[in-house]
Amino acid sequence: MVKSTTKDAQDLFHSLRSTYVATPTNLKIIDLYVCFAVFTALIQVAYMALVGSFPFNSFLSGVLSCIGTAVLAVCLRIQVNKENKEFKDLAPERAFADFVLCNLVLHLVIINFLG
Amino acid sequence: MAALESPQPAATTTAMRHAFGNVLSVLILVLIGVLAFSIRLFSVIKYESVIHEFDPYFNYRVTQFLSKNGIYEFWNWFDDRTWYPLGRVIGGTVYPGLTLTAGTIWWVLNSLNIPLSVETVCVFTAPVFSAFASWATYLLTKEVKGSGAGLAAAVLLAMVPSYISRSVAGSYDNEAVAIFALIFTFYLYIKTLNTGSLFYATLNALAYFYMVCSWGGYTFIINLIPMHVLLCIVTGRYSPRLYIAYAPLVVLGTLLAALVPVVGFNAVLTSEHFASFLVFIIIHVVALVYYIKGILTPKMFKVAVTLVVSIGMVVCFIVVAILVALVASSPTGGWSGRSLSLLDPTYASKYIPIIASVSEHQPPTWPSYFMDINVLAFLVPAGIIACFSPLSDSSSFVVLYIVMSVYFSGVMVRLMLVLAPAACIMSGIALSQAFDVFTGSIKYQLGGSSNSTDNAEDTNNAPKDDASAGKTDKGEEIVKERSSKKGKKKEREPADKPSVKSKAKKKALVLPLETSIVALLLLIMLGAFYVIHCVWAAAEAYSAPSIVLTSQSRDGLHVFDDFRESYAWLSHNTDVDDKVASWWDYGYQTTAMANRTVIVDNNTWNNTHIATVGTAMSSPEKAAWEIFNSLDVKYVLVVFGGLIGYPSDDINKFLWMVRIGGGVFPHIKEADYLRDGQYRIDSEATPTMLNCLMYKLSYYRFVETDGKGYDRVRRTEIGKKHFKLTHFEEVFTSHHWMVRIYKLKPARNRIRGRAKKLKSKTTSSGWSSKSEKKNPWV
C-alpha cells in the first residue's frame, strides 16, 4: 500500500515536471516572479511573528503589496498564455500595459499606507 | 423587408440603423438624466432650498468647515463642540466621500467664477448624483442583457420612490452619492467579468474605494461579490475571467478600504470582511486545481487528488481551528452591532436599545413595498425568469443581488434603498423582453411571409408576461420609438443566420396581432400609472424638509418654522460657549444652525452619555439639575407638539429615554412611568411620570393656552396643570410652542440652617402647592 503510494507520488512528480518543462520561457519567468513575491511575503510574516506587529499598517501594506503583485502577475500570465482560448485576440503588449497600470495604482496605495 | 434581397444596401442600412439607434440612446439617456434631476426638485419648489432632516445638517456643517479651512484641517479635525465634554474626532469617524465630493464640486465651480454657495451645492448634490446613478444603471443592465433593457432600467431608477426618498434636493446624506458608487462598482465588476480585462479590474477597485469612502453599506459589496464568485465556482462556471475579476479586487480593495480612517484596520480584522478572504483562498485553490488538471493526464490527476486531499485535510483542520479560536474570543464573534442586528433581527431590541429605537431600523410593512417600488414588485419575478433563459455570469449576479437585497430590506426599512436598483434592473429586463416579444409579433404579422422575426429567447416569457398583465413602464412616445428600434435591431441579427432557427419555432413565438397591440397598450397605460405614482410620491410623501412644517386649513396655508426660530434665538441670545442639552435627535441641527455646544447628538456613539441625558430627563427636577450641572449645561431644549398636534415630539419619544437611561442606570425603571402597562400623561399617570423633568418642561404653563391643558397629540387633558419650576426657568418658547428652551438656575450661594430645613420641607411637600412662602430658588 505504502509502496504503491510512493510509486504513485513519484510518477506524479515526474509527469508534473515533464509537462512544466514544456511551458514557454516567458510564462516560466512570470511564475518565478510569483514565487519570489510569495516568498517575500512569507519572510515578512515570519519577521512579524518574531518582532511583533506594532506599526500594523506597515506590516499590512508590506504583505499585501507582495500578495497583490503576485496576483497581478498571475493575471498577466493568464492573459498572455497562448493556450487560453478566451484571450487569443488580446495583444500581449496590452496585457502588459494593464499589468503595469494596476501595479502603479497598487504601489501608490502601498506608499501612502506604509506610514 | 427589402434589406434581405440586396446585401449591399443591407450593410449601409444596418450601419444607418445602428447609428440612428446610438444617437437615439444618447438622447434618451440625456432626457433620463434631466428627469431624474427634476423629479427631485419638489421640495425646493414647495418650500425653499434648505437642508432637510437631521443627519444632513451634520454633513453640511462638515462641508462648511472643509470649504473654509481646507482639506488638511478637515482630515485632522477634532470637534469640541459636540459630545461635551468628550468631543468627537471628525476625521476618524466620518465617511468622507460625500463631503469631499461636494467640497470638490464647490471648489471647482468657484474657481471657474461661478459663485454658488456651499449650501446650494449641498442641496443639489443628491439630484445630480441620482442622474449619474441612472446612467450607471443603464451601463450595468446593458452588460447583463443589452441596451434596450438598459434604457428601461435607467428610466425606472430615475423615478423609483424608494431612491427618491433618500435623494431629494436637500437630503444631503451619504446615500446620495453611495447608491451611485454602488451601481457603478457593480457595473465595473460585471464588465471585468465579461471582458477579462485587467484595466477594468483596476477601475473596479477604484470605484470600490469611492464606495468605501461614502457609506457604511460598502460591506454589502464586499460580501455580495465573494458570494457570487462562490456561486460561479460551485455551479461550474469557473473561468480565468472570474479570477481576474475577483483576485485583484480583494487585494487592492482591502488596501484601499484600510486607507479610509473610519474603516482602518477593521478592513482585515472584523468578520464583515472575512468572507472575501475565505473566497480569495478558495478561488486560488480552484485555479490551481484547474491548472493542474490541464497539464496532467486523468490517471495522474486522480493520484494527485488523493494525495493532496489527505495532506490538505490536516492543514485545513489546523487553520480552521485557529480561526475559530480567534473569532470565538471576541464577544460578538467579531461582528459589529449594526451587522449583527442585520443577521439576527431580534438582536438589537434585546441588547442595544439605541439601534432598536431608530424608526428607520424597523422591519418594513407590506404596504411600504408597494409604496416604495410600486409596480416593480410585480415585474421582478418576470425579470428573474428572464435572467435564467440564457444564464450567464452577469445574469446570475443580478439574481443573487436581488435575492440578497430582498432579504436585507425585509430586516430594515432603511435598506429598501439597496433593493431599489436591483428591482429596477430586473424590471427593466422583464419589460424589455415583453416589448421584444410583442413588437416582434406585430412586425411579423404585419410583414407577412418569410421573415425570421424573433428572438429565440423565452417561449416561457410570452405567456408569463401576458399572465402578469403588465404594470410598468416608460414614457409614452419614447416607448413606441424605442420598441420599434429594438424590433428592427433584433430583426437584423436572426436574418444573418437563418439556418439556426427553424420555421416551426418561429411560428410558435409569434402572438396574434390584436393580442400584441392590446398588450402593448395595456403595458403603456399601466406604465403611466407608475409615473403618476412616482411623481405623487416625490411631491407629497418625500419632499418634506422636516425642519419646516406646513398644514392646510380653512384659512389657508400655515407654516410652522419654529425650529429655525429657536435655533436663531439660541445663536443670538446665548454666549458662544454655552452648552445646550437636548435629546440626541436635535444635536446635529443645534450645532449646525445655532452653533452651540451640545451634549449628545445623532452620531450616538456613546451609549452611556446618552443614557445620562435620558436619566436626567426622567428624573425629578433636583436630580436632573444635579446631572446637568455636572455636565456644565446652561440650557435645556425640549420639543413639544401638544399645542399644534405635531406627533414627533419629546413626550412621544420619552419612553425610549427611559429605556436607554434604565439600561445604564438601574434606578430608572420603565414600569414606574406606566399605569397598568399604558403610557399616559393625564390624571391617571403615575406620580413618577408627573414629576419627571420631561413632563414639567413640556407642560409648564401649558394650561394658560386654552385653560384646560388639552394635549392635541395625546388627545387628553394633562394630569398636572398648575405647577412652578424650582430649578429651571423658561427663557424661550417658540411661536407654536414647538420648541421650549429653559435655563438652569444658578446654585444658591449659601444655605443657612433654617432655610435648609425650609428648603427640604418645600421640596418634599410637592411642587403643586402654591402656598410656599419662602421658595429659596425664587
Side-chain angles (χ1 to χ4, degrees):
Chain A
M1 176 62 187
V2 179
K3 233 186 178 173
S4 68
T5 349
T6 39
K7 186 176 170 307
D8 279 341
Q10 278 178 336
D11 284 342
L12 183 63
F13 282 134
H14 276 299
S15 57
L16 270 177
R17 183 190 284 170
S18 55
T19 29
Y20 189 69
V21 165
T23 56
T25 326
N26 54 349
L27 294 184
K28 280 201 242 183
I29 294 179
I30 298 180
D31 288 341
L32 196 61
Y33 180 66
V34 172
C35 290
F36 163 69
V38 174
F39 181 60
T40 315
L42 289 173
I43 292 184
Q44 290 186 11
V45 173
Y47 180 70
M48 184 229 20
L50 278 178
V51 172
S53 68
F54 166 54
F56 191 58
N57 53 329
S58 316
F59 165 66
L60 211 56
S61 66
V63 169
L64 282 180
S65 78
C66 293
I67 305 276
T69 184
V71 162
L72 291 176
V74 172
C75 292
L76 176 67
R77 187 191 200 277
I78 290 173
Q79 290 183 328
V80 162
N81 196 353
K82 301 237 179 3
E83 290 167 24
N84 265 332
K85 296 294 168 289
E86 288 171 341
F87 292 103
K88 61 175 163 39
D89 36 345
L90 181 70
E93 290 82 10
R94 170 68 199 263
F96 187 68
D98 286 341
F99 170 73
V100 168
L101 174 71
C102 209
N103 262 316
L104 267 178
V105 172
L106 175 72
H107 286 97
L108 189 66
V109 176
I110 295 290
I111 297 292
N112 202 358
F113 196 49
L114 204 52
Chain B
M1 297 285 157
L4 262 185
E5 278 87 76
S6 40
Q8 197 54 296
T12 40
T13 340
T14 322
M16 279 290 287
R17 286 223 167 96
H18 279 197
F20 179 65
N22 282 339
V23 169
L24 197 61
S25 293
V26 168
L27 192 65
I28 292 175
L29 278 176
V30 167
L31 283 177
I32 289 176
V34 170
L35 170 70
F37 182 82
S38 31
I39 202 175
R40 286 163 170 82
L41 294 183
F42 276 106
S43 60
V44 175
I45 297 172
K46 289 171 73 172
Y47 299 89
E48 60 181 289
S49 163
V50 72
I51 307 233
H52 296 189
E53 300 265 326
F54 301 113
D55 280 1
Y57 273 99
F58 171 68
N59 295 324
Y60 172 54
R61 179 165 165 252
V62 176
T63 317
Q64 268 182 320
F65 186 86
L66 171 67
S67 62
K68 222 181 296 189
N69 302 52
I71 191 167
Y72 285 107
E73 291 296 315
F74 159 72
W75 209 249
N76 297 316
W77 185 19
F78 177 79
D79 186 19
D80 55 350
R81 294 183 70 80
T82 176
W83 293 93
Y84 185 85
L86 304 166
R88 178 182 171 186
V89 182
I90 298 281
T93 56
V94 83
Y95 281 98
L98 175 71
T99 354
L100 288 176
T101 308
T104 314
I105 295 177
W106 175 85
W107 180 80
V108 164
L109 285 177
N110 269 50
S111 56
L112 291 175
N113 278 328
I114 305 174
L116 287 183
S117 71
V118 178
E119 183 180 17
T120 313
V121 172
C122 291
V123 164
F124 288 101
T125 298
V128 168
F129 272 84
S130 65
F132 295 161
S134 327
W135 295 339
T137 316
Y138 163 73
L139 290 171
L140 174 55
T141 322
K142 189 165 94 133
E143 284 300 311
V144 177
K145 268 293 180 184
S147 51
L151 289 171
V155 81
L156 290 177
L157 186 82
M159 286 194 292
V160 67
S162 142
Y163 184 30
I164 289 183
S165 70
R166 304 290 302 197
S167 66
V168 155
S171 174
Y172 181 57
D173 207 354
N174 287 338
E175 288 92 350
V177 294
I179 296 296
F180 161 67
L182 180 86
I183 304 177
F184 198 56
T185 310
F186 284 153
Y187 158 64
L188 286 172
Y189 171 67
I190 295 292
K191 184 91 182 173
T192 318
L193 195 54
N194 282 344
T195 58
S197 151
L198 201 55
F199 173 65
Y200 280 109
T202 319
L203 288 182
N204 187 18
L206 290 175
Y208 173 66
F209 175 50
Y210 184 52
M211 178 70 192
V212 173
C213 284
S214 309
W215 196 29
Y218 74 91
T219 49
F220 183 65
I221 298 188
I222 203 62
N223 283 307
L224 186 66
I225 293 187
M227 255 196 267
H228 175 244
V229 170
L230 205 56
L231 179 72
C232 282
I233 292 177
V234 160
T235 53
R237 292 178 149 273
Y238 171 77
S239 68
R241 290 171 291 119
L242 190 68
Y243 182 85
I244 295 180
Y246 183 63
L249 173 69
V250 168
V251 178
L252 259 181
T254 309
L255 268 174
L256 287 167
L259 266 185
V260 181
V262 82
V263 175
F265 297 146
N266 287 344
V268 290
L269 293 178
T270 52
S271 299
E272 281 112 1
H273 294 85
F274 281 169
S276 56
F277 301 139
L278 191 66
V279 178
F280 186 66
I281 296 176
I282 291 179
I283 200 176
H284 275 95
V285 169
V286 170
L288 199 63
V289 164
Y290 269 86
Y291 173 67
I292 297 207
K293 197 186 221 175
I295 62 175
L296 283 184
T297 62
K299 178 173 148 308
M300 284 282 97
F301 183 64
K302 261 205 205 74
V303 169
V305 165
T306 41
L307 208 61
V308 165
V309 164
S310 45
I311 303 179
M313 275 308 207
V314 178
V315 174
C316 250
F317 207 61
I318 301 177
V319 170
V320 166
I322 297 177
L323 209 62
V324 166
L326 272 177
V327 166
S329 61
S330 95
T332 57
W335 295 89
S336 75
R338 290 228 167 126
S339 309
L340 258 181
S341 65
L342 280 181
L343 294 176
D344 173 16
T346 57
Y347 178 79
S349 47
K350 279 186 277 183
Y351 297 107
I352 318 179
I354 282 206
I355 295 184
S357 74
V358 182
S359 67
E360 296 177 318
H361 292 177
Q362 309 304 321
T365 54
W366 278 112
S368 64
Y369 277 97
F370 292 106
M371 170 71 170
D372 275 351
I373 55 174
N374 206 17
V375 152
L376 308 185
F378 309 138
L379 278 185
V380 161
I384 295 180
I385 294 175
C387 277
F388 274 100
S389 47
L391 183 68
S392 64
D393 292 339
S394 35
S395 53
S396 70
F397 176 76
V398 186
V399 170
L400 188 65
Y401 176 24
I402 187 131
V403 169
M404 282 293 121
S405 53
V406 165
Y407 168 71
F408 283 119
S409 72
V411 174
M412 217 188 247
V413 73
R414 185 178 183 188
L415 295 179
M416 293 260 326
L417 183 60
V418 177
L419 173 65
C424 291
I425 294 171
M426 280 301 178
S427 317
I429 292 175
L431 260 190
S432 155
Q433 300 286 56
F435 273 106
D436 275 349
V437 170
F438 293 139
T439 52
S441 307
I442 293 180
K443 286 234 162 288
Y444 183 78
Q445 302 281 14
L446 287 181
S449 51
S450 55
N451 285 326
S452 58
T453 19
D454 271 83
N455 2 18
E457 10 202 42
D458 334 294
T459 38
N460 321 328
N461 240 7
K464 283 280 188 319
D465 289 315
D466 276 346
S468 72
K471 282 135 182 172
T472 325
D473 118 293
K474 266 172 235 123
E476 276 87 351
E477 308 129 322
I478 304 180
V479 160
K480 286 213 181 69
E481 278 186 315
R482 195 179 337 128
S483 51
S484 61
K485 165 198 77 110
K486 274 192 313 231
K488 284 180 205 145
K489 256 194 164 168
K490 283 290 175 189
E491 256 190 73
R492 286 295 130 216
E493 292 149 35
D496 298 338
K497 334 175 205 146
S499 54
V500 175
K501 302 176 181 73
S502 63
K503 290 254 166 29
K505 221 181 192 179
K506 270 181 292 180
K507 287 236 171 67
L509 289 173
V510 169
L511 300 172
L513 182 65
E514 299 81 13
T515 320
S516 307
I517 293 183
V518 169
L520 264 184
L521 286 176
L522 279 179
L523 272 185
I524 293 170
M525 228 174 58
L526 288 165
F529 285 142
Y530 173 72
V531 173
I532 292 174
H533 171 84
C534 293
V535 174
W536 170 84
E540 296 299 322
Y542 290 135
S543 285
S546 308
I547 190 143
V548 177
L549 308 169
T550 58
S551 79
Q552 287 279 7
S553 67
R554 291 183 316 267
D555 26 329
L557 186 71
H558 282 277
V559 176
F560 302 97
D561 208 2
D562 289 43
F563 286 107
R564 293 195 288 181
E565 180 191 345
S566 4
Y567 295 131
W569 184 91
L570 262 182
S571 104
H572 287 136
N573 292 300
T574 60
D575 290 332
V576 176
D577 283 329
D578 283 343
K579 327 283 187 264
V580 178
S582 66
W583 192 231
W584 58 260
D585 289 3
Y586 314 107
Y588 282 157
Q589 285 182 342
T590 313
T591 39
M593 281 195 270
N595 197 24
R596 292 290 171 267
T597 312
V598 291
I599 306 294
V600 286
D601 69 12
N602 308 56
N603 192 30
T604 64
W605 66 269
N606 190 329
N607 194 31
T608 314
H609 220 49
I610 296 183
T612 314
V613 174
T615 310
M617 295 294 192
S618 327
S619 315
E621 262 191 85
K622 180 161 191 309
W625 188 94
E626 301 284 333
I627 296 177
F628 281 140
N629 199 33
S630 73
L631 287 171
D632 292 345
V633 171
K634 202 75 175 302
Y635 296 91
V636 178
L637 186 151
V638 294
V639 169
F640 171 62
L643 183 66
I644 53 161
Y646 173 64
S648 311
D649 64 352
D650 281 356
I651 289 283
N652 269 358
K653 294 179 192 166
F654 180 61
L655 270 185
W656 283 109
M657 300 187 200
V658 171
R659 283 178 197 139
I660 294 174
V664 179
F665 299 96
H667 65 269
I668 306 283
K669 299 191 231 335
E670 189 181 343
D672 289 344
Y673 298 83
L674 305 172
R675 170 77 69 190
D676 301 330
Q678 262 208 339
Y679 175 57
R680 338 167 53 126
I681 44 97
D682 52 10
S683 46
E684 293 293 315
T686 59
T688 333
M689 182 69 213
L690 292 176
N691 286 331
C692 73
L693 187 72
M694 180 51 70
Y695 179 91
K696 296 192 137 190
L697 294 187
S698 295
Y699 293 116
Y700 179 61
R701 291 192 312 115
F702 184 52
V703 70
E704 293 171 16
T705 55
D706 60 351
K708 287 193 274 97
Y710 182 72
D711 183 340
R712 290 221 174 110
V713 179
R714 268 61 59 178
R715 297 180 202 272
T716 66
E717 294 185 12
I718 58 177
K720 188 155 65 169
K721 302 189 189 186
H722 303 274
F723 55 90
K724 278 212 172 56
L725 291 176
T726 54
H727 292 61
F728 294 83
E729 62 175 312
E730 179 186 9
V731 284
F732 179 75
T733 297
S734 65
H735 187 210
H736 301 99
W737 286 56
M738 275 176 68
V739 180
R740 313 195 65 183
I741 304 182
Y742 296 84
K743 186 171 173 175
L744 262 69
K745 285 189 181 172
R748 250 180 84 78
N749 277 333
R750 56 195 182 102
I751 297 172
R752 291 182 305 153
R754 208 166 151 233
K756 201 209 277 193
K757 257 190 265 165
L758 201 62
K759 182 185 87 161
S760 56
K761 193 168 67 158
T762 316
T763 50
S764 63
S765 68
W767 285 259
S768 47
S769 80
K770 282 195 263 231
S771 56
E772 44 208 27
K773 286 185 221 118
K774 277 203 195 151
N775 185 347
W777 292 97
V778 171

